[in-house]
Amino acid sequence: MQEFWEKNKVYGFDANETDKPSYSIDTPPPYPSGDFHVGNALNWSYFDFAARYRRMKGFNVHFPQGWDCHGLPTEVRAEKTHKIRKNDVPPAEFVRMCRELTEEYISRMKQTIVRLGISTDWKLEYRTMDPSYYKLTQLSFIRLYNTGHLYRGEHPVNWCPRCETAIAEAEVEHQERHSVLYYIEFGQDDRKLEVASTRPELLPACVAILVHPDDPRFKPIVGKKATVPLFNQVVPILEDPDVDSSFGTGAVMVCTFGDKMDVKWQNKYKLPLIRAITENGRLAVEDPRFKGLRTEEARKRIAELLTGQEKITKTEPQTQSVGVCWRCKTPVEIISRPQWFMKTRDMTEDVVEKAAKLRWVPEYARTRLNDWARSLDWDWVISRQRIFATPIPVWYCKDCARIILPDENQLPVDPRQDSPPIKKCPKCSSSSLTGDNDVLDTWMDSSITSAIHAGWPRQDDWFTKLFPASLQPNGLDIIRTWDYYLLVRSLAMFGKPPYETLLINGMVRGTDGRMMHKSYGNFVEADEAMNRYGADPLRQWAASGGSTGSDIPFRWTELDHGKKFLTKLWNIARFVLTSTPVIPESREMDELLLLDKWLLGAVQDLVKQTTEHFENFEFNLALEAVRDFTWHTLADDYLEAVKYRLAPEANIDDKKSAQFSLYETLVTICKLLAPICPHITEAIYQQVPKSNTMAQSIHKSEWPTAETSRFDESIAKQGRALLEVIALSRRKKADSGLSLKTPIRALEIYTNPEQLTVLRENEEVILRTLKAEKLILAEARDFRIEIST
Ligand SMILES: [Zn+2]
Ligand SMILES: [Zn+2]
């Protein structure tokens, strides 16, 4: 089927289409990691359900696949694969290694995506590492700089000493860590002042002691000075309402920088800045006792020396939340050095206001974005000290520090190796110009995807049609990164949000209930699941796992259930197609027998329900409705009751009525199921006898519409009553030890007058289905069935 789709170009976006409305999906470009586990299969299935449904609804669907190539994970992998550190080889060589790995991972993931039956338009594939893409990242940088949204400045940032780069707040994870709280004695005139800290290695960068203004213990010494042990710098004792007097001794040391509070206090009291930690995580002091020690070594060393001088009065075990690098889990440090920032703090209210007007599925995901936007203390640091990333398109004058940007038409540029765009500084005429060696945060690449899909920087009709994206589907875990960054970039560049509806999927848990993770051993590759069950059962698991946004457990039994359903559907289709070898003549509703009318009415009800579920992204409910209908209404109830009418000797008119109803029903349920199970529905559709007006692929056919005229409340009631009687008679037969195929002499049914009318009009179906020679119908107060053999 996949070959058939590819050969016939079933899915592409049509750039010449003028009649159909467009529907653009801004799918998140993944990091090419090479892995594609069932959690990824869930994401991609959601994108695809939405894409296939909209296509059948008559939209010109724009469904690209991108690859967010840059970033730490690939650099870390390249370092591991080649057993080097990034600075051991020339940058161009390191970039080549990263590109090579990236291509390999992309091809592996792409295979799995195709195998899962995702209807991506591969014409629209893009890689953020390609010059044609990062040129646009650089263009957006220049435009944002020119409109005052970016600035270069020295401000403390979160820093990973292992990866040796700045990282954004969104990239800091929090972990519980055990540590020791040291009570350290500072000198204060003739008295002693105790300060508790878990990080004695920051003593050389201590710039003040703070106490709470209402704390009577410290009143006499506020405004005086204290001497730092071992390092002997003299620091002021100040009061500040943010001090927590219940922690430690109630006096806290301010070091530049231990944490974000230190940054606030240093700024508030204009304290000096002493660099505590180097960029590779070592103590930044000249003191030969500690120079070059790593933070943990320095902590141990300083604690030992303090103990030797009897300056540590007490130690306590402490559990604390430590910020760690999202990629390598090393505790982050706060380091100040020149960086590029985007002014995002000023945008918080605008973000919250605009987010309120968007459609969020589920609704509560919006709160995550709002909470995140409001929690940010610092602007977004967009520069990184990495190699494999988009170069920052900036040169500087070495003499007057003037910032020099290239012209838009000179892009892409790599200031790390290209010569500057101009020979002389426009301000001081110096010819001593130097390129920026830093690169951009990878989220700078991926937070303009929706505009790039729409053809930006072109501002033509297509841009208007495709931007903002109709749908932004992504996991709960990247709301604070991707959804947030996309929103701020778009508000700054275009003055409006980059998407209309956000579809947020939950995370997949392993069979043991924990989050799926390689190190937990509960990690299931999508390929493994497909090797065992095929693509459509895996997609059914993705659809049925739970309501949108909730965490979903991975269960093999769900795939097993999905596969059984496919077998059932296949068998039904074979029966229908064998008994309906040509397109049946179309019939009006009043030309049909009761059960046929009833079935087509039930199909209309199913169409209505399923359409609503797809509109609301309730994939689990849509799938359940179709599966339940197929298994019970169609197979158990209807088929069993009409089989005799499809036999060669059956009455020709009754046969045609059944054929028409079955054909219509089979084609309709296949269409309703096509977004979730694209392979089997296409395989069935290809065998269905087709008229010239029918589409060549089920995925190009129109979504069924609910014709309310076909649904008649009283027909539904009568059909239900008849089927109930048939089901009860069958059970009676089974209870009497008779096989369903065994002929019986007579069937007696005693029931109320209303039901009797229905039964009288449908004597034949009862006789034939129950294999009875004679049917006796009589009125009675209590319902009763008798069988005589
Ligand atoms: Zn790191
Ligand atoms: Zn200059």
Side-chain angles (χ1 to χ4, degrees):
M1 289 305 116
Q2 287 169 2
E3 279 168 16
F4 171 80
W5 298 332
E6 206 191 320
K7 203 172 124 230
N8 293 287
K9 302 199 174 8
V10 169
Y11 302 123
F13 173 75
D14 185 355
N16 300 317
E17 174 65 61
T18 48
D19 295 338
K20 286 182 177 180
S22 311
Y23 190 83
S24 61
I25 304 178
D26 187 19
T27 54
Y31 278 123
S33 63
D35 295 321
F36 199 94
H37 59 80
V38 293
N40 301 113
L42 176 87
N43 285 136
W44 266 260
S45 295
Y46 269 43
F47 314 155
D48 198 46
F49 299 158
R52 287 180 184 276
Y53 169 69
R54 289 288 161 178
R55 229 178 259 124
M56 290 175 76
K57 285 289 276 184
F59 288 86
N60 189 13
V61 173
H62 194 270
F63 185 19
Q65 175 65 59
W67 305 97
D68 190 8
C69 307
H70 291 137
L72 271 178
T74 307
E75 288 199 0
V76 173
R77 289 233 203 170
E79 287 178 324
K80 270 193 191 152
T81 308
H82 297 277
K83 298 193 175 57
I84 49 153
R85 294 300 303 268
K86 61 174 177 174
N87 293 322
D88 295 349
V89 293
E93 173 65 6
F94 190 67
V95 167
R96 192 195 58 76
M97 290 174 178
C98 292
R99 287 190 68 101
E100 202 178 87
L101 270 182
T102 305
E103 288 294 354
E104 184 192 319
Y105 293 144
I106 287 176
S107 72
R108 271 166 38 194
M109 294 171 78
K110 198 168 160 176
Q111 265 179 17
T112 311
I113 292 171
V114 170
R115 191 177 173 197
L116 186 58
I118 305 302
S119 58
T120 306
D121 184 349
W122 292 103
K123 287 197 307 291
L124 307 174
E125 187 181 4
Y126 64 94
R127 290 159 162 72
T128 60
M129 67 182 179
D130 290 343
S132 59
Y133 188 98
Y134 76 68
K135 168 184 167 174
L136 299 175
T137 305
Q138 292 184 329
L139 176 65
S140 72
F141 179 97
I142 292 178
R143 296 214 176 156
L144 284 173
Y145 178 77
N146 289 337
T147 50
H149 288 94
L150 303 183
Y151 66 95
R152 183 171 161 87
E154 176 148 355
H155 181 277
V157 293
N158 293 297
W159 184 273
C160 173
R162 198 222 71 91
C163 302
E164 291 182 46
T165 182
I167 58 178
E169 287 177 277
E171 293 168 328
V172 177
E173 284 180 5
H174 292 273
Q175 285 187 352
E176 289 279 301
R177 297 259 169 125
H178 297 293
S179 57
V180 177
L181 184 62
Y182 298 91
Y183 285 73
I184 304 166
E185 200 178 290
F186 279 55
Q188 204 281 306
D189 297 342
D190 301 332
R191 312 189 323 172
K192 292 166 184 172
L193 171 64
E194 266 181 3
V195 177
S197 168
T198 55
R199 301 198 62 188
E201 75 274 20
L202 296 177
L203 282 174
C206 176
V207 290
I209 303 289
L210 293 190
V211 297
H212 195 278
D214 300 336
D215 195 332
R217 294 175 291 178
F218 302 107
K219 274 286 169 216
I221 58 165
V222 170
K224 299 191 170 165
K225 295 199 184 293
T227 310
V228 180
L230 287 186
F231 298 91
N232 299 321
Q233 72 267 39
V234 176
V235 298
I237 302 168
L238 308 169
E239 36 182 33
D240 189 276
D242 285 336
V243 173
D244 173 7
S245 8
S246 65
F247 179 81
T249 63
V252 57
M253 63 179 195
V254 179
C255 303
T256 50
F257 296 101
D259 57 25
K260 278 185 173 177
M261 254 343 264
D262 287 343
V263 177
K264 252 186 197 163
W265 282 329
Q266 188 262 342
N267 198 18
K268 184 169 173 186
Y269 298 109
K270 305 275 173 285
L271 297 167
L273 197 159
I274 303 176
R275 195 162 156 246
I277 309 286
T278 63
E279 290 171 7
N280 59 2
R282 290 166 192 272
L283 224 55
V285 294
E286 288 306 315
D287 190 325
R289 292 175 297 174
F290 315 107
K291 193 179 176 189
L293 290 185
R294 277 211 299 272
T295 48
E296 319 81 80
E297 297 165 345
R299 183 178 312 150
K300 228 172 114 194
R301 193 71 210 284
I302 290 174
E304 276 166 16
L305 288 175
L306 286 170
T307 310
Q309 296 184 6
E310 297 184 345
K311 297 282 187 197
I312 290 186
T313 54
K314 185 163 80 162
T315 58
E316 278 173 2
Q318 174 93 6
T319 310
Q320 57 181 172
S321 167
V322 176
V324 299
C325 168
W326 68 282
R327 185 62 190 81
C328 71
K329 315 298 174 200
T330 304
V332 297
E333 297 289 352
I334 293 175
I335 281 187
S336 186
R337 57 159 274 178
Q339 301 280 3
W340 280 96
F341 296 88
M342 176 163 170
K343 287 184 195 166
T344 46
R345 266 178 318 169
D346 299 350
M347 300 177 72
T348 302
E349 281 323 301
D350 197 20
V351 163
V352 171
E353 187 192 308
K354 295 292 189 324
K357 290 179 188 148
L358 302 168
R359 181 180 177 200
W360 291 76
V361 184
E363 181 61 35
Y364 63 76
R366 185 201 319 269
T367 317
R368 285 225 179 178
L369 182 93
N370 290 347
D371 289 351
W372 174 250
R374 289 186 170 130
S375 77
L376 292 169
D377 295 320
W378 297 344
D379 280 335
W380 175 16
V381 53
I382 57 170
S383 46
R384 293 290 182 277
Q385 290 63 49
R386 306 295 305 172
I387 293 172
F388 182 49
T390 299
I392 296 180
V394 170
W395 282 262
Y396 306 96
C397 169
K398 280 186 178 169
D399 293 322
C400 73
R402 161 92 183 213
I403 290 172
I404 299 158
L405 270 65
D407 281 340
E408 291 187 354
N409 59 22
Q410 289 171 311
L411 300 174
V413 293
D414 188 350
R416 294 174 296 183
Q417 57 194 47
D418 299 352
S419 40
I422 45 174
K423 294 271 173 291
K424 283 187 173 158
C425 168
K427 191 170 161 199
C428 75
S429 300
S430 164
S431 52
S432 184
L433 308 178
T434 181
D436 199 324
N437 272 318
D438 288 350
V439 292
L440 289 172
D441 178 5
T442 179
W443 291 107
M444 281 291 283
D445 295 333
S446 57
S447 56
I448 45 171
T449 46
S450 50
I452 290 183
H453 298 331
W456 181 82
R458 283 197 323 270
Q459 296 277 339
D460 54 11
D461 279 1
W462 278 118
F463 186 80
T464 327
K465 281 185 188 168
L466 297 174
F467 186 88
S470 318
L471 188 68
Q472 177 75 18
N474 57 255
L476 211 51
D477 56 332
I478 54 172
I479 292 178
R480 61 182 196 160
T481 46
W482 201 40
D483 294 334
Y484 174 75
Y485 291 141
L486 266 161
L487 190 50
V488 290
R489 289 292 287 295
S490 182
L491 292 177
M493 287 168 66
F494 307 107
K496 60 180 170 184
Y499 36 63
E500 288 165 351
T501 295
L502 291 103
L503 172 64
I504 307 295
N505 66 271
M507 299 290 104
V508 172
R509 290 177 178 274
T511 43
D512 57 358
R514 292 196 292 174
M515 283 302 171
M516 198 167 270
H517 202 277
K518 262 196 168 164
S519 64
Y520 295 163
N522 62 358
F523 184 91
V524 181
E525 297 277 2
D527 278 322
E528 189 195 341
M530 288 192 279
N531 288 343
R532 284 172 66 177
Y533 288 97
D536 285 0
L538 181 59
R539 297 171 62 109
Q540 286 180 77
W541 159 76
S544 69
S547 55
T548 304
S550 59
D551 283 350
I552 293 178
F554 181 74
R555 291 206 189 96
W556 286 108
T557 49
E558 267 299 321
L559 274 80
D560 200 49
H561 182 62
K563 175 107 185 185
K564 285 194 178 115
F565 170 71
L566 296 185
T567 308
K568 185 78 185 174
L569 178 64
W570 188 249
N571 289 338
I572 292 170
R574 277 212 318 223
F575 174 78
V576 174
L577 297 173
T578 320
S579 50
T580 313
V582 292
I583 308 170
E585 287 167 29
S586 182
R587 310 213 138 203
E588 293 302 320
M589 280 305 265
D590 52 13
E591 296 176 287
L592 300 173
L593 300 192
L594 172 66
L595 282 186
D596 304 339
K597 287 187 208 168
W598 167 81
L599 179 72
L600 293 181
V603 169
Q604 291 312 299
D605 199 35
L606 177 70
V607 168
K608 194 164 153 266
Q609 275 181 48
T610 312
T611 307
E612 271 171 26
H613 294 321
F614 271 105
E615 287 293 326
N616 294 328
F617 303 97
E618 295 161 337
F619 307 125
N620 56 331
L621 302 181
L623 176 63
E624 238 13 85
V626 182
R627 287 205 295 208
D628 187 64
F629 178 91
T630 308
W631 210 294
H632 302 296
T633 308
L634 178 60
D636 292 349
D637 296 343
Y638 180 80
L639 274 181
E640 290 303 328
V642 302
K643 268 183 180 161
Y644 75 94
R645 280 160 54 196
L646 294 158
E649 71 280 6
N651 169 320
I652 189 72
D653 223 43
D654 291 358
K655 188 176 188 170
K656 283 185 171 174
S657 175
Q659 285 174 326
F660 171 72
S661 312
L662 272 177
Y663 179 90
E664 288 259 307
T665 304
L666 180 67
V667 172
T668 308
I669 57 174
C670 281
K671 285 183 182 177
L672 297 178
L673 199 59
I676 297 174
C677 300
H679 302 89
I680 194 164
T681 51
E682 182 76 290
I684 293 171
Y685 185 81
Q686 289 310 317
Q687 296 178 35
V688 163
K690 280 186 278 300
S691 67
N692 298 337
T693 56
M694 286 169 79
Q696 158 212 40
S697 160
I698 191 163
H699 302 294
K700 284 197 145 179
S701 65
E702 270 177 41
W703 187 255
T705 44
E707 296 170 37
T708 40
S709 62
R710 280 193 170 181
F711 188 73
D712 183 323
E713 208 50 68
S714 79
I715 298 283
K717 212 174 147 198
Q718 289 176 34
R720 187 39 60 200
L722 176 58
L723 284 168
E724 250 169 42
V725 170
I726 291 175
L728 289 169
S729 309
R730 284 159 61 108
R731 196 176 309 149
K732 182 85 183 173
K733 215 172 150 182
D735 290 348
S736 317
L738 298 170
S739 117
L740 295 174
K741 287 179 180 155
T742 316
I744 50 175
R745 209 155 45 76
L747 177 67
E748 297 167 49
I749 302 170
Y750 300 90
T751 186
N752 62 47
E754 196 190 341
Q755 203 158 43
L756 273 184
T757 319
V758 179
L759 300 182
R760 282 206 184 98
E761 284 168 7
N762 294 279
E763 276 191 30
E764 194 180 0
V765 59
I766 303 173
L767 283 169
R768 301 294 296 256
T769 310
L770 275 301
K771 302 231 180 308
E773 274 172 44
K774 201 167 141 197
L775 179 63
I776 298 160
L777 297 170
E779 195 178 323
R781 249 184 42 215
D782 296 325
F783 181 82
R784 187 158 55 89
I785 296 174
E786 299 291 348
I787 284 174
S788 5
T789 50

